[in-house]
Amino acid sequence: MKTFGSIHSFPEFLEIQKAGEEQELRNARISCQNKLLEMKNDTKLDVWIAWVNQMHDEIAQRAVQLCEMQLSEAGFGQPPARYAFVTFGSSGRQEATLWSDQDNGLIIGDEMEEEDSGYFLKFGVSLVGILEFAGYPKCTGKVMCSEPMWRRTLSGWKQQLTDWSSDHAWEPTRHFIIASDMRHITGNAELSSSWKIHLRNAVQQQPLMNAALLRNTVHHKATLNVMGRIVTERFGEHAGDFDVKYGMYIPLVNSIRTMALQRGIIETTSIKRMERIIQLEGGSLLLENVQRALMYSFRMRMETPVYFNEGLVVSSGYIPKEQLMNKKVQYELKDSLGVIRRIHRSLERELRFLDRKGL
């Protein structure tokens, strides 16, 4: 894990590492998030996001340790095989907000005996519970190590990745896309490394997967209408507000991920993916604009209004209609949404070309 400062400059991390039970971990998380909120306006955006994601990593690592301790104390003993705890989604990309939910999995060593699978079932369910209490809501899509699909032996994972990459229907392709953001957090790093190599090889061995990736990418929430105006929510409590996550951030992330997979790029952060894409493609105004729009989406995502629920920071993820009345916000948002529309049209043209060739 990359460290952006010392424990002495950020003592809240030490509180997380020393937490002896779930309540202490939750308290340490609240203390750390409050410190991060205090320093937000005086810290460069990329540095602040790095601090936020280091906090999440510290909490996840300690949660795993607490989970092992609790199972041992409950009479389940020590882990019967090697394992790696990994994350997906925004945490996998090191782009999580202070209020992000869970997206995680377990990779278990093939030396595990069948009769020991119950330990890791208990481990996965318990760990998700610890993380939920620490402030990470359960993933609505059930991408969590409590679920059999996201908790497998290494050989089981490899077979699943192969199956997903060779089946170009919508759902298996979506699962493969989610998996491609995997990042190792703690446990046996060799398992995660072997997993990652297999994923990269699966892409290389499935040239027909390119069209499937594009099909899943070009579908997104409309953000600009035919008149070039920002599309806001029409109904409900957020009527008139703009959905930053699904209207701007996710379409950009999805496009960047697809372009990276097409080029065999194995980095998981969107920033590094864009840097590698630009290196490979040379100077491109569109790609540079995508890179700029990505940073703007980070800023807007981190600046959506927040509130507190039992000490934990929460956000709806929307830019309120009052903020959208600001001309500077309107201009910058329209500019970024225009970039999203251009990159999607480029990917749509690429998909039509592949479809004409029968790929």
Side-chain angles (χ1 to χ4, degrees):
M1 178 182 65
K2 185 175 180 181
T3 302
F4 295 88
S6 68
I7 291 296
H8 299 293
S9 62
F10 219 115
E12 288 77 8
F13 288 160
L14 187 58
E15 291 182 41
I16 293 171
Q17 295 169 6
K18 293 171 64 177
E21 44 88 26
E22 293 178 39
Q23 186 63 56
E24 289 181 5
L25 185 62
R26 179 187 174 95
N27 293 343
R29 184 235 167 95
I30 291 173
S31 175
C32 193
Q33 85 176 9
N34 292 342
K35 171 66 178 294
L36 286 163
L37 287 171
E38 288 176 10
M39 60 188 286
K40 181 179 175 182
N41 292 333
D42 299 319
T43 308
K44 287 182 59 179
L45 177 64
D46 58 341
V47 174
W48 191 77
I49 292 174
W51 278 116
V52 169
N53 281 269
Q54 187 171 343
M55 178 194 75
H56 293 319
D57 287 0
E58 298 279 359
I59 293 170
Q61 289 165 5
R62 189 54 184 162
V64 168
Q65 294 169 352
L66 290 177
C67 189
E68 275 198 27
M69 291 165 52
Q70 289 180 3
L71 291 186
S72 178
E73 292 170 359
F76 289 92
Q78 296 301 307
R82 298 170 300 154
Y83 70 89
F85 178 70
V86 299
T87 59
F88 305 100
S90 59
S91 178
R93 297 187 299 272
Q94 293 179 282
E95 298 160 5
T97 62
L98 284 174
W99 50 88
S100 290
D101 62 2
Q102 295 189 45
D103 288 283
N104 53 56
L106 278 180
I107 308 169
I108 305 165
D110 287 329
E111 69 273 12
M112 183 190 73
E113 301 291 341
E114 185 175 348
E115 59 266 25
D116 292 325
S117 61
Y119 176 92
F120 286 106
L121 168 60
K122 181 68 175 176
F123 186 94
V125 172
S126 299
L127 180 54
V128 165
I130 293 171
L131 289 170
E132 183 179 26
F133 187 76
Y136 300 91
K138 289 182 178 179
C139 173
T140 56
K142 297 187 176 181
V143 182
M144 298 176 293
C145 61
S146 55
E147 303 298 319
M149 181 181 291
W150 303 96
R151 184 189 68 250
R152 293 178 178 269
T153 62
L154 179 60
S155 59
W157 263 114
K158 288 180 176 179
Q159 184 59 56
Q160 181 159 267
L161 291 172
T162 298
D163 292 344
W164 284 343
S165 65
S166 58
D167 185 346
H168 303 144
W170 179 272
E171 195 70 6
T173 302
R174 185 178 72 86
H175 288 144
F176 189 88
I177 288 171
I178 292 170
S180 67
D181 285 335
M182 187 276 276
R183 184 169 64 90
H184 177 83
I185 296 297
T186 191
N188 189 286
E190 292 180 0
L191 293 172
S192 297
S193 178
S194 181
W195 188 104
K196 200 77 172 179
I197 291 170
H198 188 82
L199 180 135
R200 181 176 55 190
N201 291 339
V203 175
Q204 295 172 344
Q205 293 166 9
Q206 292 290 339
L208 296 181
M209 194 180 186
N210 194 4
L213 292 171
L214 288 167
R215 289 189 190 97
N216 279 57
T217 302
V218 296
H219 291 274
H220 66 287
K221 190 173 185 175
T223 52
L224 290 175
N225 63 22
V226 293
M227 301 296 292
R229 294 173 180 165
I230 299 168
V231 176
T232 58
E233 294 297 302
R234 295 181 60 191
F235 307 106
E237 63 176 310
H238 293 293
D241 300 343
F242 180 78
D243 186 345
V244 174
K245 180 176 180 180
Y246 291 102
M248 178 167 56
Y249 170 71
I250 290 297
L252 276 169
V253 165
N254 289 347
S255 299
I256 292 167
R257 183 199 296 109
T258 292
M259 291 189 292
L261 286 171
Q262 288 175 320
R263 292 158 176 80
I265 296 169
I266 60 173
E267 280 85 0
T268 56
T269 73
S270 298
I271 291 176
K272 290 181 180 177
R273 283 170 171 168
M274 276 309 304
E275 289 174 351
R276 290 285 292 119
I277 291 168
I278 290 173
Q279 286 176 359
L280 291 172
E281 297 297 318
S284 165
L285 181 59
L286 177 57
L287 291 178
E288 290 174 0
N289 285 337
V290 169
Q291 194 173 34
R292 175 175 49 80
L294 176 68
M295 294 306 299
Y296 179 72
S297 76
F298 288 163
R299 177 157 63 88
M300 295 308 293
R301 195 167 178 230
M302 300 298 171
E303 291 183 357
T304 55
V306 300
Y307 61 95
F308 292 87
N309 181 18
E310 298 183 352
L312 295 165
V313 66
V314 183
S315 174
S316 67
Y318 284 84
I319 299 175
K321 48 185 169 290
E322 295 80 11
Q323 191 174 344
L324 291 174
M325 295 175 66
N326 182 293
K327 289 186 177 180
K328 184 175 185 293
V329 171
Q330 279 191 30
Y331 173 80
E332 292 178 334
L333 183 55
K334 283 183 180 180
D335 182 58
S336 293
L337 296 180
V339 172
I340 294 172
R341 185 159 62 181
R342 289 194 293 277
I343 194 63
H344 271 81
R345 284 177 175 172
S346 174
L347 295 175
E348 286 171 347
R349 288 193 296 271
E350 187 176 346
L351 177 59
R352 287 196 296 270
F353 174 76
L354 293 176
D355 284 341
R356 286 197 298 270
K357 293 182 65 177
L359 298 176

